[in-house]
Amino acid sequence: MKRQVTAGLMLACTTLLGAFTLSAEARTLRYAIGHPPSSFVVDVAKEYAGAVESLSDGDLKVRVFPMSLLNFAETSGGVRDGMADIGFVLTSYFASEFPHSNVAVEASMLVGLLGDKVRGREGMVFMGALSEYTFFNCPECNREFARQGQVYTGSTGGSSYGLVCNRPVESEADLRGMRLRVGASNWSRWAEAVGASPVTMSANEMFEALSQGVVGCIVLAAPEIHNFGLTDVVKHITMDVPGGPMPIAGTNINTRTWKSLSPAQRTVMLRAASVFSAGVPWIYHQHEDRILSEAEDRGVTLHKADAALIEKTHAFVEQDMATIAEDYRRRYGVQNGAELITTFRALLDKWAGLVQDVDSEEALADLYWSEIFSKVDVNQHGL
C-alpha cells in the first residue's frame, strides 16, 4: 500500500535535514511487530519505516519484522533486552509492569459514551487523547516505560471492538452463558456483567476456537477478521457492543537506542511515530465498512444490539471507571487512578472536537504532530 508523504512531512524533513551530518552508511533499526505480514497494521508499519528514511534523508532506516522477531507476549521484554530497537507493545498484556499506563488503556470503552459525534472516528479520538495523556499528563507512565528499558513515542490502535461470532447476538439473553474470547480486562468484566464467560487465549488460537465452538464470539474490531484470517469461520457480527478500541504503545524504542540518537534523529522518530499513530486508526476506520459489507456478501448476518443491551453496556462503562481505579490501587499501588481517569476523560472530549474536520490520513498525522508530538522535548524525554 503506497501513500504520498504529506506536505507537512516534507516540510519537517526539509527542516530536519540541516541538522544531520551525513553518515557513510545508514543505520538500520529493527522493528518487531506481532501482527502477521498481511495485516493492515504491518502496512502502516511500512509507512512508518518509509517516513523515518525520508525524514532522515536515508541516515536512519527501519526494518520491519512482522510476527517473526518477537510475538506480542515477547515484545516488551525483547525491546528491553535489545532484541529489537523498536516494538509494538501491548501494555494490557503486562498489567504489573505498566499499571499507570493501563488505567487509561482499560478505560477505552469510554469512547462509546461520546455518541454519534465520534462514530467512525473512535480510534482517531482515543489515540490522540492517549498519546497526549501519556506524554504530558502521566509522568508515572513514562517512568514505567523507563523501568522496562523503553522510551514511549506514541499510542495507536484501530476501530472499536464488537462481537465476531458463530451464533447470533442481539440481547443480553443471547450472551448469557456464552464463552467470549477477550483481549483485555475491561471486556472481561463487561462479559461477566452481561452473564457471559470471558476466555483468554492467544490471537493464534482464535480461528480454531471459533470454528470448533470453543467460544461463541470473539471481542474484536471488524478489520481484525482480515488481519487474523477469520473470514471463513465468522457467521454473525454485532458491532454495537461492547465498544472501545485496543490501544497499543506502537513504536516504543529501546532506551539505549534512543539515547544513541542525536536530538534531530529523535525528532525524526517522533515525527514518523505521529504518522504511525494516525495511520492505524485511519486505515481501520476506512476498512471497517468494507470488511462488514464483504462479510454480509458472503452470507454473514449483521445484527444490531437491542436498546436494553446498549443501555446496560453504557451503565457498565460508567461504573467500571471506579472499578478500574480501585482495582489498580489494590493490586498495583496506583493511588491516583480516579484523578488519571478524570484527566483522560477531559482529553477524550477535547479530541472528539479536534478530529471532526479531519478528512485524510495525512491530515490526522499532521494534527497529531502539531498538537502532541512536536511538543515533546527531545533533549529531556526518555533521557
Side-chain angles (χ1 to χ4, degrees), residues 12-281:
C13 180
T14 301
T15 302
L16 290 168
L17 289 182
F20 279 102
T21 299
L22 295 179
S23 58
E25 185 176 347
R27 180 179 180 183
T28 299
L29 306 178
R30 296 159 298 163
Y31 181 23
I33 183 167
H35 279 271
S38 61
S39 166
F40 296 134
V41 180
V42 174
D43 292 338
V44 182
K46 292 175 181 176
E47 293 179 23
Y48 166 72
V52 170
E53 186 171 0
S54 296
L55 287 166
S56 68
D57 196 29
D59 191 63
L60 291 174
K61 294 185 178 181
V62 171
R63 182 179 177 189
V64 180
F65 290 87
M67 211 183 206
S68 54
L69 185 59
L70 299 165
N71 63 32
F72 290 131
E74 297 167 338
T75 300
S76 184
V79 173
R80 178 197 63 216
D81 297 338
M83 295 177 65
D85 297 293
I86 311 166
F88 190 85
V89 178
L90 281 79
T91 60
S92 58
Y93 279 31
F94 312 100
S96 61
E97 287 90 342
F98 306 109
H100 289 84
S101 304
N102 283 327
V103 167
V105 166
E106 282 204 30
S108 69
M109 291 174 69
L110 279 173
V111 76
L113 302 183
L114 295 174
D116 289 340
K117 66 180 177 180
V118 300
R119 199 168 308 282
R121 296 173 180 264
E122 296 95 334
M124 304 176 211
V125 171
F126 198 89
M127 304 317 151
L130 185 58
S131 295
E132 181 172 349
Y133 161 86
T134 307
F135 275 128
F136 306 122
N137 294 275
C138 185
E140 302 94 336
C141 297
N142 288 282
R143 288 195 289 269
E144 288 167 358
F145 289 120
R147 283 194 291 270
Q148 298 303 315
Q150 302 170 32
V151 176
Y152 173 82
T153 63
S155 295
T156 196
S159 50
S160 284
Y161 275 40
L163 298 173
V164 175
C165 310
N166 55 26
R167 65 194 76 172
V169 172
E170 294 181 351
S171 67
E172 186 176 352
D174 295 328
L175 287 164
R176 197 166 296 125
M178 185 183 290
R179 289 164 59 87
L180 306 182
R181 187 270 180 183
V182 297
S185 297
N186 55 340
W187 293 314
S188 179
R189 292 189 296 272
W190 173 81
E192 292 173 343
V194 295
S197 299
V199 177
T200 302
M201 64 179 64
S202 74
N204 295 335
E205 299 175 290
M206 292 190 299
F207 182 96
E208 184 175 359
L210 198 61
S211 66
Q212 296 186 2
V214 175
V215 297
C217 296
I218 299 170
V219 179
L220 208 62
E224 304 288 21
I225 297 170
H226 161 84
N227 290 340
F228 291 103
L230 302 176
T231 300
D232 293 334
V233 294
V234 175
K235 305 301 179 186
H236 299 271
I237 298 173
T238 306
M239 293 305 302
D240 304 300
V241 292
M246 170 69 88
I248 303 103
T251 51
N252 273 16
I253 298 179
N254 171 273
T255 301
R256 292 183 299 277
T257 300
W258 179 258
K259 289 181 176 179
S260 73
L261 301 174
S262 70
Q265 289 173 322
R266 293 180 205 131
T267 302
V268 162
M269 300 307 296
L270 285 169
R271 184 61 175 104
S274 71
V275 171
F276 187 80
S277 291
V280 175

